[in-house]
Amino acid sequence: AGSNSIKIFNNSANAPDLRESGAAQQFDSLVAILRDGALSPRGMPKFDELTDDQIKDLMMAVRANSREAAAVKIEVWRSEQDNERQKL
């Protein structure tokens, strides 16, 4: 990561997780979140220096990470279901 990189996924419970936000899947909504600070009252920092191209790149990264997170949730659920079946 270069000096201009921005960490968009926060492991802290203090800021919203964009992977879980449907609004982060739409460009105009993501502009409002990142550049305009729509979620700043909930702890999301404002990045008013981001260009449209950077926001589009971030949107693609959020989408990719959302798919990965969903796949992990499915695997966890399947594992839990298998464990429950083994108890029967």
Side-chain angles (χ1 to χ4, degrees):
S3 62
N4 293 330
S5 66
I6 296 171
K7 181 179 176 187
I8 60 169
F9 303 108
N10 187 349
N11 293 331
S12 167
N14 297 331
D17 186 340
L18 294 179
R19 296 173 299 175
E20 301 288 332
S21 172
Q25 306 296 322
Q26 299 176 5
F27 179 75
D28 291 339
S29 297
L30 198 54
V31 168
I33 292 168
L34 294 175
R35 193 184 298 150
D36 301 337
L39 295 181
S40 60
R42 293 183 43 207
M44 181 74 188
K46 181 178 173 180
F47 301 98
D48 55 358
E49 72 279 2
L50 291 176
T51 66
D52 285 353
D53 285 340
Q54 289 172 316
I55 292 174
K56 288 175 187 174
D57 289 343
L58 289 169
M59 185 173 66
M60 298 310 292
V62 168
R63 286 180 178 175
N65 279 275
S66 294
R67 287 189 294 271
E68 289 174 19
V72 168
K73 286 180 182 181
I74 290 169
E75 287 303 314
V76 168
W77 178 82
R78 286 181 179 158
S79 177
E80 290 171 351
Q81 295 299 311
D82 288 345
N83 289 338
E84 287 298 316
R85 280 190 217 110
Q86 290 175 2
K87 289 179 184 178
L88 298 176

